[in-house]
Amino acid sequence: PAIICAVLVTRERDFRQQMIAGNYMYPTETLKELQVVEDKVMSERPYLTFFSTIILFVSMVCVLKPFCNVLDIIGLPSSSCFLTVSFSAFVAAVTTSCLLMGLCWSCTRGVAACVLLGIGLAGDVLCPTGSPVLVVMWLLLAGAVYFLYFIYLPQQEEVPVWCQSIGPMKPSMDPLEWRRTLAPVPSP
């Protein structure tokens, strides 16, 4: 729900910016108050995305871990089974999160959604092959693409037109910021 709310807030902001640019609407104090409320809604998203990915990772480990016991029972070597299960769960959690975020953002940010969907689909195609080289290549390429598109390019003075922001994705490590994020949303 948080990412869907973020998509709707972003869509509303885009519409307001178009209205202001076309001189159909003028910035007022009410719009500034609405911006504060929307910023509060958007501030929760990085935490929820991060924690839901962790929960997905833990649940995938719990689902896949019994396969190690099966390998022990039938007498196959399973010394590195937990490492394999953990790594597979990590890749599955990241690719699933990217796919879900890409689907949600496809309504508002088409290029950003394509980048997220590309990362997720590439991981879903390359990682089940079992080839460590392909998995490491995917990790490096996916990390580089994510860094370039969502972190490096938005910070440039002249952001390319095709670089679409999906808002802040970095959770703060400041406990005071956590308290502000957990505080109730003021009504406009």
Short mmCIF file of all heavy atoms in Angstrom, two decimals, residues 59-123:
data_model
loop_
_atom_site.label_atom_id
_atom_site.label_comp_id
_atom_site.label_asym_id
_atom_site.label_seq_id
_atom_site.Cartn_x
_atom_site.Cartn_y
_atom_site.Cartn_z
N SER A 59 11.43 -15.03 4.81
CA SER A 59 10.43 -16.04 4.47
C SER A 59 10.94 -17.00 3.40
O SER A 59 10.67 -18.20 3.46
CB SER A 59 9.12 -15.39 4.03
OG SER A 59 9.30 -14.66 2.85
N MET A 60 11.72 -16.50 2.44
CA MET A 60 12.28 -17.39 1.42
C MET A 60 13.32 -18.34 2.03
O MET A 60 13.40 -19.50 1.63
CB MET A 60 12.93 -16.57 0.30
CG MET A 60 11.95 -15.78 -0.54
SD MET A 60 10.81 -16.80 -1.45
CE MET A 60 11.90 -17.52 -2.64
N VAL A 61 14.10 -17.86 2.99
CA VAL A 61 15.04 -18.75 3.68
C VAL A 61 14.27 -19.84 4.41
O VAL A 61 14.64 -21.03 4.36
CB VAL A 61 15.95 -17.96 4.65
CG1 VAL A 61 16.71 -18.88 5.58
CG2 VAL A 61 16.93 -17.10 3.88
N CYS A 62 13.18 -19.45 5.08
CA CYS A 62 12.37 -20.44 5.80
C CYS A 62 11.75 -21.47 4.86
O CYS A 62 11.62 -22.65 5.21
CB CYS A 62 11.28 -19.74 6.61
SG CYS A 62 11.92 -18.78 7.99
N VAL A 63 11.37 -21.04 3.68
CA VAL A 63 10.76 -21.96 2.71
C VAL A 63 11.82 -22.89 2.12
O VAL A 63 11.57 -24.09 1.93
CB VAL A 63 10.05 -21.16 1.60
CG1 VAL A 63 9.71 -22.04 0.42
CG2 VAL A 63 8.80 -20.50 2.14
N LEU A 64 13.00 -22.37 1.82
CA LEU A 64 14.02 -23.16 1.14
C LEU A 64 14.90 -23.99 2.07
O LEU A 64 15.51 -24.97 1.63
CB LEU A 64 14.90 -22.25 0.29
CG LEU A 64 14.21 -21.53 -0.88
CD1 LEU A 64 15.16 -20.55 -1.54
CD2 LEU A 64 13.67 -22.53 -1.88
N LYS A 65 15.01 -23.63 3.33
CA LYS A 65 15.90 -24.33 4.27
C LYS A 65 15.57 -25.82 4.40
O LYS A 65 16.50 -26.64 4.51
CB LYS A 65 15.85 -23.63 5.63
CG LYS A 65 16.64 -24.30 6.72
CD LYS A 65 18.12 -24.31 6.43
CE LYS A 65 18.88 -24.89 7.59
NZ LYS A 65 19.37 -26.23 7.37
N PRO A 66 14.32 -26.27 4.40
CA PRO A 66 14.06 -27.71 4.51
C PRO A 66 14.68 -28.55 3.39
O PRO A 66 14.90 -29.75 3.57
CB PRO A 66 12.53 -27.80 4.46
CG PRO A 66 12.08 -26.50 5.01
CD PRO A 66 13.08 -25.50 4.52
N PHE A 67 15.01 -27.95 2.26
CA PHE A 67 15.66 -28.71 1.21
C PHE A 67 17.05 -29.18 1.64
O PHE A 67 17.53 -30.21 1.16
CB PHE A 67 15.73 -27.90 -0.09
CG PHE A 67 14.40 -27.69 -0.72
CD1 PHE A 67 13.88 -26.41 -0.88
CD2 PHE A 67 13.64 -28.76 -1.17
CE1 PHE A 67 12.64 -26.22 -1.45
CE2 PHE A 67 12.41 -28.58 -1.75
CZ PHE A 67 11.90 -27.30 -1.89
N CYS A 68 17.69 -28.45 2.53
CA CYS A 68 18.98 -28.89 3.05
C CYS A 68 18.80 -30.18 3.84
O CYS A 68 19.63 -31.09 3.76
CB CYS A 68 19.60 -27.81 3.94
SG CYS A 68 20.04 -26.32 3.05
N ASN A 69 17.73 -30.29 4.62
CA ASN A 69 17.46 -31.50 5.39
C ASN A 69 17.19 -32.68 4.46
O ASN A 69 17.60 -33.81 4.74
CB ASN A 69 16.29 -31.28 6.33
CG ASN A 69 16.57 -30.20 7.35
OD1 ASN A 69 17.73 -29.92 7.66
ND2 ASN A 69 15.53 -29.57 7.85
N VAL A 70 16.51 -32.42 3.36
CA VAL A 70 16.24 -33.48 2.39
C VAL A 70 17.55 -34.00 1.81
O VAL A 70 17.73 -35.21 1.65
CB VAL A 70 15.28 -32.97 1.28
CG1 VAL A 70 15.17 -33.99 0.16
CG2 VAL A 70 13.92 -32.64 1.86
N LEU A 71 18.46 -33.10 1.51
CA LEU A 71 19.77 -33.52 0.99
C LEU A 71 20.52 -34.38 2.00
O LEU A 71 21.18 -35.36 1.63
CB LEU A 71 20.60 -32.31 0.59
CG LEU A 71 20.13 -31.52 -0.62
CD1 LEU A 71 21.02 -30.30 -0.84
CD2 LEU A 71 20.09 -32.38 -1.87
N ASP A 72 20.42 -34.03 3.29
CA ASP A 72 21.05 -34.84 4.34
C ASP A 72 20.43 -36.23 4.41
O ASP A 72 21.13 -37.22 4.56
CB ASP A 72 20.91 -34.15 5.71
CG ASP A 72 21.91 -33.03 5.90
OD1 ASP A 72 22.93 -33.03 5.19
OD2 ASP A 72 21.65 -32.16 6.75
N ILE A 73 19.11 -36.29 4.30
CA ILE A 73 18.40 -37.56 4.42
C ILE A 73 18.78 -38.51 3.30
O ILE A 73 19.00 -39.70 3.53
CB ILE A 73 16.88 -37.33 4.47
CG1 ILE A 73 16.51 -36.65 5.79
CG2 ILE A 73 16.11 -38.62 4.30
CD1 ILE A 73 15.08 -36.17 5.85
N ILE A 74 18.88 -37.99 2.07
CA ILE A 74 19.18 -38.89 0.95
C ILE A 74 20.69 -39.09 0.76
O ILE A 74 21.10 -39.81 -0.13
CB ILE A 74 18.54 -38.40 -0.37
CG1 ILE A 74 19.04 -37.01 -0.77
CG2 ILE A 74 17.03 -38.42 -0.27
CD1 ILE A 74 18.51 -36.54 -2.11
N GLY A 75 21.49 -38.47 1.61
CA GLY A 75 22.93 -38.73 1.61
C GLY A 75 23.76 -37.91 0.66
O GLY A 75 24.92 -38.24 0.41
N LEU A 76 23.22 -36.84 0.12
CA LEU A 76 24.00 -35.97 -0.76
C LEU A 76 24.73 -34.93 0.08
O LEU A 76 24.28 -34.55 1.16
CB LEU A 76 23.09 -35.28 -1.77
CG LEU A 76 22.42 -36.22 -2.79
CD1 LEU A 76 21.44 -35.44 -3.64
CD2 LEU A 76 23.47 -36.88 -3.67
N PRO A 77 25.87 -34.45 -0.41
CA PRO A 77 26.60 -33.43 0.36
C PRO A 77 25.79 -32.14 0.45
O PRO A 77 25.26 -31.66 -0.53
CB PRO A 77 27.89 -33.22 -0.43
CG PRO A 77 27.66 -33.82 -1.77
CD PRO A 77 26.55 -34.82 -1.64
N SER A 78 25.69 -31.62 1.66
CA SER A 78 24.91 -30.38 1.86
C SER A 78 25.66 -29.40 2.75
O SER A 78 25.06 -28.65 3.49
CB SER A 78 23.56 -30.72 2.48
OG SER A 78 23.74 -31.30 3.75
N SER A 79 26.98 -29.42 2.67
CA SER A 79 27.78 -28.56 3.55
C SER A 79 27.55 -27.08 3.29
O SER A 79 27.48 -26.29 4.21
CB SER A 79 29.26 -28.90 3.41
OG SER A 79 29.66 -28.71 2.06
N SER A 80 27.40 -26.68 2.04
CA SER A 80 27.19 -25.27 1.73
C SER A 80 25.74 -24.98 1.38
O SER A 80 25.44 -23.97 0.75
CB SER A 80 28.10 -24.85 0.58
OG SER A 80 27.72 -25.54 -0.60
N CYS A 81 24.86 -25.85 1.80
CA CYS A 81 23.45 -25.71 1.43
C CYS A 81 22.84 -24.43 2.00
O CYS A 81 22.13 -23.72 1.30
CB CYS A 81 22.66 -26.92 1.90
SG CYS A 81 20.95 -26.90 1.38
N PHE A 82 23.13 -24.12 3.27
CA PHE A 82 22.52 -22.92 3.87
C PHE A 82 23.01 -21.65 3.17
O PHE A 82 22.24 -20.71 2.98
CB PHE A 82 22.81 -22.85 5.37
CG PHE A 82 22.07 -21.73 6.04
CD1 PHE A 82 20.71 -21.81 6.24
CD2 PHE A 82 22.73 -20.59 6.45
CE1 PHE A 82 20.00 -20.78 6.84
CE2 PHE A 82 22.05 -19.55 7.05
CZ PHE A 82 20.68 -19.64 7.24
N LEU A 83 24.28 -21.63 2.77
CA LEU A 83 24.80 -20.49 2.02
C LEU A 83 24.08 -20.34 0.69
O LEU A 83 23.70 -19.24 0.29
CB LEU A 83 26.31 -20.64 1.82
CG LEU A 83 27.01 -19.51 1.07
CD1 LEU A 83 26.89 -18.21 1.85
CD2 LEU A 83 28.45 -19.85 0.82
N THR A 84 23.89 -21.46 0.00
CA THR A 84 23.19 -21.44 -1.28
C THR A 84 21.74 -20.99 -1.09
O THR A 84 21.23 -20.18 -1.87
CB THR A 84 23.23 -22.84 -1.93
OG1 THR A 84 24.58 -23.24 -2.07
CG2 THR A 84 22.53 -22.84 -3.27
N VAL A 85 21.09 -21.50 -0.06
CA VAL A 85 19.71 -21.12 0.23
C VAL A 85 19.62 -19.63 0.56
O VAL A 85 18.75 -18.92 0.06
CB VAL A 85 19.14 -21.98 1.38
CG1 VAL A 85 17.89 -21.38 1.97
CG2 VAL A 85 18.86 -23.39 0.89
N SER A 86 20.54 -19.14 1.38
CA SER A 86 20.52 -17.72 1.75
C SER A 86 20.75 -16.82 0.54
O SER A 86 20.06 -15.81 0.36
CB SER A 86 21.59 -17.43 2.80
OG SER A 86 21.33 -18.16 3.96
N PHE A 87 21.71 -17.19 -0.29
CA PHE A 87 21.98 -16.38 -1.47
C PHE A 87 20.81 -16.41 -2.45
O PHE A 87 20.42 -15.39 -3.00
CB PHE A 87 23.27 -16.85 -2.15
CG PHE A 87 23.71 -15.93 -3.25
CD1 PHE A 87 24.23 -14.69 -2.96
CD2 PHE A 87 23.56 -16.30 -4.58
CE1 PHE A 87 24.61 -13.82 -3.97
CE2 PHE A 87 23.96 -15.45 -5.60
CZ PHE A 87 24.48 -14.20 -5.29
N SER A 88 20.22 -17.60 -2.63
CA SER A 88 19.06 -17.71 -3.51
C SER A 88 17.89 -16.89 -2.98
O SER A 88 17.17 -16.24 -3.75
CB SER A 88 18.63 -19.17 -3.65
OG SER A 88 19.66 -19.93 -4.20
N ALA A 89 17.68 -16.92 -1.67
CA ALA A 89 16.61 -16.13 -1.07
C ALA A 89 16.87 -14.63 -1.24
O ALA A 89 15.94 -13.86 -1.49
CB ALA A 89 16.47 -16.48 0.41
N PHE A 90 18.13 -14.22 -1.11
CA PHE A 90 18.48 -12.81 -1.30
C PHE A 90 18.15 -12.37 -2.72
O PHE A 90 17.52 -11.34 -2.93
CB PHE A 90 19.96 -12.58 -1.00
CG PHE A 90 20.45 -11.23 -1.39
CD1 PHE A 90 20.12 -10.11 -0.63
CD2 PHE A 90 21.23 -11.05 -2.52
CE1 PHE A 90 20.56 -8.85 -1.00
CE2 PHE A 90 21.67 -9.80 -2.91
CZ PHE A 90 21.34 -8.69 -2.14
N VAL A 91 18.58 -13.16 -3.70
CA VAL A 91 18.32 -12.82 -5.10
C VAL A 91 16.82 -12.80 -5.38
O VAL A 91 16.30 -11.89 -6.04
CB VAL A 91 19.06 -13.79 -6.05
CG1 VAL A 91 18.62 -13.61 -7.48
CG2 VAL A 91 20.56 -13.59 -5.92
N ALA A 92 16.10 -13.78 -4.84
CA ALA A 92 14.65 -13.83 -5.05
C ALA A 92 13.96 -12.63 -4.42
O ALA A 92 13.03 -12.06 -5.00
CB ALA A 92 14.09 -15.13 -4.48
N ALA A 93 14.40 -12.22 -3.23
CA ALA A 93 13.79 -11.06 -2.57
C ALA A 93 14.06 -9.78 -3.35
O ALA A 93 13.14 -8.97 -3.55
CB ALA A 93 14.33 -10.94 -1.14
N VAL A 94 15.27 -9.60 -3.83
CA VAL A 94 15.61 -8.39 -4.60
C VAL A 94 14.86 -8.35 -5.91
O VAL A 94 14.27 -7.32 -6.28
CB VAL A 94 17.14 -8.29 -4.82
CG1 VAL A 94 17.47 -7.20 -5.82
CG2 VAL A 94 17.85 -8.03 -3.50
N THR A 95 14.85 -9.47 -6.64
CA THR A 95 14.17 -9.48 -7.94
C THR A 95 12.67 -9.30 -7.77
O THR A 95 12.05 -8.57 -8.54
CB THR A 95 14.48 -10.76 -8.73
OG1 THR A 95 14.08 -11.89 -7.99
CG2 THR A 95 15.94 -10.86 -9.09
N THR A 96 12.09 -9.93 -6.78
CA THR A 96 10.65 -9.78 -6.55
C THR A 96 10.31 -8.35 -6.16
O THR A 96 9.32 -7.79 -6.65
CB THR A 96 10.17 -10.76 -5.46
OG1 THR A 96 10.51 -12.09 -5.85
CG2 THR A 96 8.68 -10.66 -5.24
N SER A 97 11.13 -7.74 -5.31
CA SER A 97 10.88 -6.34 -4.93
C SER A 97 11.00 -5.42 -6.14
O SER A 97 10.17 -4.51 -6.32
CB SER A 97 11.87 -5.89 -3.86
OG SER A 97 11.66 -6.60 -2.67
N CYS A 98 12.00 -5.64 -6.98
CA CYS A 98 12.15 -4.82 -8.19
C CYS A 98 10.97 -5.00 -9.13
O CYS A 98 10.47 -4.03 -9.71
CB CYS A 98 13.46 -5.15 -8.90
SG CYS A 98 14.91 -4.48 -8.09
N LEU A 99 10.52 -6.24 -9.30
CA LEU A 99 9.38 -6.49 -10.17
C LEU A 99 8.11 -5.81 -9.65
O LEU A 99 7.38 -5.17 -10.41
CB LEU A 99 9.15 -7.99 -10.34
CG LEU A 99 10.16 -8.72 -11.21
CD1 LEU A 99 9.97 -10.23 -11.10
CD2 LEU A 99 10.06 -8.29 -12.65
N LEU A 100 7.86 -5.92 -8.35
CA LEU A 100 6.67 -5.29 -7.77
C LEU A 100 6.74 -3.77 -7.86
O LEU A 100 5.75 -3.11 -8.20
CB LEU A 100 6.48 -5.73 -6.32
CG LEU A 100 6.02 -7.18 -6.13
CD1 LEU A 100 6.02 -7.55 -4.66
CD2 LEU A 100 4.64 -7.38 -6.73
N MET A 101 7.90 -3.20 -7.55
CA MET A 101 8.04 -1.74 -7.65
C MET A 101 7.90 -1.30 -9.10
O MET A 101 7.28 -0.27 -9.38
CB MET A 101 9.38 -1.29 -7.08
CG MET A 101 9.43 -1.37 -5.58
SD MET A 101 10.87 -0.66 -4.73
CE MET A 101 12.13 -0.54 -5.89
N GLY A 102 8.47 -2.06 -10.03
CA GLY A 102 8.34 -1.72 -11.45
C GLY A 102 6.90 -1.75 -11.91
O GLY A 102 6.45 -0.87 -12.66
N LEU A 103 6.14 -2.74 -11.45
CA LEU A 103 4.73 -2.80 -11.83
C LEU A 103 3.94 -1.63 -11.25
O LEU A 103 3.09 -1.04 -11.93
CB LEU A 103 4.11 -4.13 -11.37
CG LEU A 103 4.56 -5.36 -12.14
CD1 LEU A 103 3.98 -6.62 -11.50
CD2 LEU A 103 4.14 -5.27 -13.60
N CYS A 104 4.22 -1.28 -10.01
CA CYS A 104 3.52 -0.14 -9.39
C CYS A 104 3.85 1.17 -10.08
O CYS A 104 2.97 1.99 -10.33
CB CYS A 104 3.85 -0.05 -7.91
SG CYS A 104 3.12 -1.36 -6.93
N TRP A 105 5.13 1.40 -10.40
CA TRP A 105 5.54 2.66 -11.00
C TRP A 105 5.23 2.74 -12.49
O TRP A 105 5.38 3.79 -13.10
CB TRP A 105 7.03 2.91 -10.77
CG TRP A 105 7.30 3.37 -9.38
CD1 TRP A 105 7.87 2.67 -8.38
CD2 TRP A 105 6.97 4.64 -8.82
NE1 TRP A 105 7.92 3.41 -7.24
CE2 TRP A 105 7.38 4.63 -7.48
CE3 TRP A 105 6.37 5.79 -9.32
CZ2 TRP A 105 7.21 5.72 -6.64
CZ3 TRP A 105 6.21 6.88 -8.47
CH2 TRP A 105 6.62 6.83 -7.16
N SER A 106 4.79 1.64 -13.10
CA SER A 106 4.51 1.66 -14.54
C SER A 106 3.37 2.61 -14.89
O SER A 106 3.27 3.06 -16.03
CB SER A 106 4.21 0.25 -15.04
OG SER A 106 3.00 -0.23 -14.48
N CYS A 107 2.53 2.95 -13.94
CA CYS A 107 1.41 3.87 -14.20
C CYS A 107 1.88 5.32 -14.32
O CYS A 107 1.24 6.12 -14.99
CB CYS A 107 0.40 3.79 -13.06
SG CYS A 107 -0.29 2.16 -12.82
N THR A 108 2.96 5.67 -13.65
CA THR A 108 3.38 7.06 -13.56
C THR A 108 4.76 7.33 -14.14
O THR A 108 4.98 8.35 -14.78
CB THR A 108 3.38 7.50 -12.07
OG1 THR A 108 2.11 7.20 -11.53
CG2 THR A 108 3.64 8.96 -11.93
N ARG A 109 5.70 6.46 -13.90
CA ARG A 109 7.09 6.63 -14.31
C ARG A 109 7.50 5.47 -15.21
O ARG A 109 8.09 4.49 -14.75
CB ARG A 109 8.01 6.69 -13.09
CG ARG A 109 7.71 7.82 -12.12
CD ARG A 109 8.26 9.11 -12.69
NE ARG A 109 8.25 10.19 -11.73
CZ ARG A 109 7.38 11.16 -11.75
NH1 ARG A 109 6.43 11.19 -12.65
NH2 ARG A 109 7.45 12.14 -10.88
N GLY A 110 7.21 5.58 -16.48
CA GLY A 110 7.42 4.48 -17.42
C GLY A 110 8.87 4.04 -17.55
O GLY A 110 9.17 2.85 -17.52
N VAL A 111 9.79 4.99 -17.69
CA VAL A 111 11.20 4.63 -17.87
C VAL A 111 11.77 4.04 -16.59
O VAL A 111 12.47 3.02 -16.61
CB VAL A 111 12.03 5.84 -18.34
CG1 VAL A 111 13.49 5.48 -18.50
CG2 VAL A 111 11.46 6.39 -19.64
N ALA A 112 11.45 4.65 -15.46
CA ALA A 112 11.92 4.12 -14.18
C ALA A 112 11.35 2.73 -13.94
O ALA A 112 12.06 1.84 -13.44
CB ALA A 112 11.52 5.06 -13.04
N ALA A 113 10.10 2.52 -14.32
CA ALA A 113 9.50 1.20 -14.18
C ALA A 113 10.21 0.19 -15.07
O ALA A 113 10.45 -0.96 -14.66
CB ALA A 113 8.02 1.25 -14.53
N CYS A 114 10.57 0.59 -16.28
CA CYS A 114 11.30 -0.31 -17.18
C CYS A 114 12.66 -0.69 -16.61
O CYS A 114 13.11 -1.83 -16.74
CB CYS A 114 11.45 0.31 -18.56
SG CYS A 114 9.93 0.30 -19.51
N VAL A 115 13.33 0.26 -15.96
CA VAL A 115 14.62 -0.03 -15.33
C VAL A 115 14.43 -1.05 -14.21
O VAL A 115 15.17 -2.05 -14.13
CB VAL A 115 15.28 1.26 -14.81
CG1 VAL A 115 16.49 0.95 -13.94
CG2 VAL A 115 15.68 2.16 -15.96
N LEU A 116 13.44 -0.83 -13.35
CA LEU A 116 13.19 -1.77 -12.25
C LEU A 116 12.75 -3.14 -12.78
O LEU A 116 13.21 -4.18 -12.28
CB LEU A 116 12.13 -1.20 -11.31
CG LEU A 116 12.58 -0.02 -10.46
CD1 LEU A 116 11.39 0.64 -9.79
CD2 LEU A 116 13.60 -0.46 -9.43
N LEU A 117 11.88 -3.14 -13.77
CA LEU A 117 11.44 -4.41 -14.35
C LEU A 117 12.61 -5.12 -15.03
O LEU A 117 12.72 -6.35 -14.96
CB LEU A 117 10.31 -4.18 -15.35
CG LEU A 117 8.95 -3.81 -14.74
CD1 LEU A 117 7.98 -3.38 -15.83
CD2 LEU A 117 8.39 -4.95 -13.93
N GLY A 118 13.48 -4.37 -15.69
CA GLY A 118 14.66 -4.97 -16.33
C GLY A 118 15.59 -5.61 -15.32
O GLY A 118 16.10 -6.72 -15.54
N ILE A 119 15.81 -4.94 -14.19
CA ILE A 119 16.65 -5.51 -13.13
C ILE A 119 16.02 -6.80 -12.60
O ILE A 119 16.68 -7.82 -12.44
CB ILE A 119 16.87 -4.49 -12.00
CG1 ILE A 119 17.77 -3.35 -12.47
CG2 ILE A 119 17.46 -5.16 -10.76
CD1 ILE A 119 17.88 -2.20 -11.49
N GLY A 120 14.71 -6.74 -12.33
CA GLY A 120 14.03 -7.91 -11.79
C GLY A 120 13.98 -9.07 -12.77
O GLY A 120 14.24 -10.22 -12.41
N LEU A 121 13.64 -8.78 -14.02
CA LEU A 121 13.55 -9.86 -15.03
C LEU A 121 14.91 -10.46 -15.33
O LEU A 121 15.04 -11.69 -15.49
CB LEU A 121 12.90 -9.34 -16.30
CG LEU A 121 11.39 -9.07 -16.21
CD1 LEU A 121 10.89 -8.43 -17.49
CD2 LEU A 121 10.64 -10.36 -15.93
N ALA A 122 15.94 -9.62 -15.42
CA ALA A 122 17.28 -10.14 -15.67
C ALA A 122 17.72 -11.06 -14.54
O ALA A 122 18.31 -12.13 -14.77
CB ALA A 122 18.27 -9.00 -15.85
N GLY A 123 17.41 -10.69 -13.31
CA GLY A 123 17.74 -11.55 -12.17
C GLY A 123 16.96 -12.84 -12.20
O GLY A 123 17.49 -13.91 -11.89
#
